[in-house]
């Protein structure tokens, strides 16, 4: 029904990427701690026959040539599982190989694999890999160990065009991102901060045409309010952001009737999409206030990387930060405290008229 009528959600968009690649003869391999159904029951890539106990992989029927579809629930060892998938991606260069954390926080169990191989294997040994890391990420009141894929750690390791880091917000952009990763001749690891609540968010859906046309967009410009584009000449404030917080801002802006603030999404964080950002910002010649909005604490998330690396390319732009205060842990342990912090964040970014 989604394929015919639109409103394609994250899970179906992802399976469409896998299926289209299999149909083109590309092997797809996904492993992780709960990857067959998806940690948040969003994927259902494997169905178990209740009579025989055997697995059925619907996408396997689409494979052509020598392509195969693998999806495995791995043991609860990030170090061992990610290490194996990295090695697999090095040896099978024609496959799309993905490792998924149950929650992005758990990637710290494989930090030595990230440090020694994923971020630096090519510069040290010329060893190329196009492994994809899927790290569920988002401040949603689930506590300190179920909130953050630690984007700041990956971004600190980014240099010399060594990997790709993305935080896509639409199923279609994620679809194009995966296909680009599989079909590109440039083999680089890809880190994707994947969603949790956006898996079922009513606004995080895409039209069929978004899949059949276009390519991955590193930057998404303002989507307007209730389908009506902003008057670019009236925009006084531009908020840059990445990931789930966009939808919080989008809804708050509409509810508060704010029409002088543009919301710009940075879907790819490294390599920095400088040209695309400049093109979008040039649409707002009267903007006076520019801010980076993130839901992560000030000492985490993408802010430090953006402040150190992006501003030098944006002549005349002074970028301030709107975020949670710096914190030792990625999130608070109380849902009420989380809600209070989130309300304060939105109020700071979009004060009521």
């Amino acid at each position: 029904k989604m394929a015919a009528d639109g409103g394609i959600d994250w899970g179906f968009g992802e399976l469409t990427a896998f299926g289209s690649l299999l149909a083109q003869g590309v092997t797809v391999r996904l492993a992780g701690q709960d990857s067959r159904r998806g940690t948040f029951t969003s994927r259902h890539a494997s169905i178990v026959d209740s009579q025989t106990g055997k697995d059925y992989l619907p996408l396997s029927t689409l494979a052509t040539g020598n392509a195969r579809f693998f999806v495995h629930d791995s043991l609860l060892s990030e170090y061992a599982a990610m290490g194996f998938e990295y090695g697999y991606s090095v040896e099978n260069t024609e496959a799309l190989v993905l490792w998924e954390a149950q929650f992005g926080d758990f990637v710290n169990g494989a930090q030595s694999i990230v440090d020694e191989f994923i971020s630096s294997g090519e510069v040290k040994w010329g060893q190329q890999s196009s492994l994809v890391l899927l790290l569920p990420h988002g401040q949603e009141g689930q506590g300190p160990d179920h909130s953050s894929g630690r984007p700041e750690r990956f971004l600190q390791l980014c240099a010399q065009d060594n990997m790709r880091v993305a935080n896509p917000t639409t199923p279609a952009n994620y679809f194009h991102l995966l296909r680009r990763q599989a079909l590109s001749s440039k083999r680089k690891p890809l880190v994707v901060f994947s969603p949790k609540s956006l898996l079922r968010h009513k606004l995080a859906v895409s039209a069929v045409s978004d899949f059949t046309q276009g390519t991955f967009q590193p930057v998404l410009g303002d989507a307007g309010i209730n389908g009506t584009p902003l008057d670019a000449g009236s925009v006084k404030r531009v908020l840059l952001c990445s990931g789930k917080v966009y939808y919080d801002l989008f809804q708050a802006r509409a509810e508060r009737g704010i029409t002088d603030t543009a919301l710009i999404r940075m879907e790819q964080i490294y390599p920095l999409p400088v040209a695309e950002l400049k093109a979008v910002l040039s649409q707002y010649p009267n903007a006076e206030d520019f801010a980076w909005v993130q839901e992560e604490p000030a000492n985490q998330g993408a802010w430090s990387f953006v402040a150190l690396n992006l501003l030098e390319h944006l002549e005349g732009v002074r970028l301030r930060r709107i975020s949670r205060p710096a914190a030792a842990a990625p999130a608070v342990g109380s849902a009420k405290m989380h809600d209070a912090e989130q309300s304060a964040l939105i109020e700071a970014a979009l004060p009521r008229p």
Side-chain angles (χ1 to χ4, degrees), residues 105 138-148 150 196 295-300 323-345:
D105 312 66
Q139 300 277 340
E140 289 152 342
Q142 293 180 292
D145 297 313
H146 296 82
S147 296
S148 178
R150 293 290 193 176
K196 295 179 290 180
E295 56 185 4
E296 300 88 355
N299 59 324
Q300 300 169 39
S323 74
R324 283 172 164 78
V332 294
S334 160
K336 288 185 178 179
M337 288 180 64
H338 164 81
D339 291 342
E341 286 185 346
Q342 194 71 10
S343 295
L345 176 72

Side-chain angles (χ1 to χ4, degrees), residues 38-51:
T39 297
F40 313 102
T41 62
S42 59
R43 184 173 290 123
H44 301 294
S46 173
I47 301 171
V48 179
D49 189 315
S50 61
Q51 300 298 318

Side-chain angles (χ1 to χ4, degrees), residues 103-126:
F103 286 84
D105 312 66
F106 304 167
V107 73
N108 60 12
Q111 193 65 50
S112 57
I113 299 296
V114 173
D115 293 345
E116 298 298 329
F117 296 91
I118 290 172
S119 68
S120 59
E122 182 176 6
V123 73
K124 288 192 295 190
W125 313 304

Side-chain angles (χ1 to χ4, degrees), residues 24-187:
Q24 289 179 252
V26 178
T27 288
V28 177
R29 175 183 171 86
L30 169 65
Q33 293 164 343
D34 205 358
S35 290
R36 295 195 300 172
R37 68 161 192 171
T39 297
F40 313 102
T41 62
S42 59
R43 184 173 290 123
H44 301 294
S46 173
I47 301 171
V48 179
D49 189 315
S50 61
Q51 300 298 318
T52 66
K54 292 183 178 179
D55 289 341
Y56 173 61
L57 307 179
L59 287 183
S60 292
T61 62
L62 299 176
T64 61
N66 295 321
R68 295 182 64 188
F69 179 52
F70 303 95
V71 57
H72 297 297
D73 291 338
S74 70
L75 76 167
L76 298 178
S77 167
E78 295 81 17
Y79 172 77
M82 187 196 294
F84 184 90
E85 301 308 324
Y86 175 82
Y88 191 101
S89 71
V90 170
E91 291 301 316
N92 190 346
T93 60
E94 303 303 315
L96 176 66
V97 184
L98 310 98
W99 177 81
E100 182 177 55
Q102 196 169 44
F103 286 84
D105 312 66
F106 304 167
V107 73
N108 60 12
Q111 193 65 50
S112 57
I113 299 296
V114 173
D115 293 345
E116 298 298 329
F117 296 91
I118 290 172
S119 68
S120 59
E122 182 176 6
V123 73
K124 288 192 295 190
W125 313 304
Q127 181 165 286
Q128 293 186 328
S129 165
S130 55
L131 177 66
V132 180
L133 304 184
L134 300 178
L135 308 179
H137 175 84
Q139 300 277 340
E140 289 152 342
Q142 293 180 292
D145 297 313
H146 296 82
S147 296
S148 178
R150 293 290 193 176
E152 65 279 359
R153 293 184 181 175
F154 288 94
L155 292 170
Q156 185 183 39
L157 295 169
C158 287
Q160 298 180 296
D161 196 31
N162 61 332
M163 54 185 171
R164 304 285 180 264
V165 178
N167 194 0
T169 57
T170 72
N173 220 22
Y174 178 49
F175 165 87
H176 289 299
L177 176 65
L178 291 177
R179 286 185 50 81
R180 183 185 75 170
Q181 181 71 3
L183 301 174
S184 174
S185 59
K186 198 172 188 178
R187 302 184 64 240

Side-chain angles (χ1 to χ4, degrees), residues 252-253 255-260 347 350-353:
R253 182 180 67 172
E255 291 167 1
R256 299 178 182 194
I258 297 172
T259 59
D260 66 348
E347 190 62 36
L350 295 165
R352 296 179 186 276

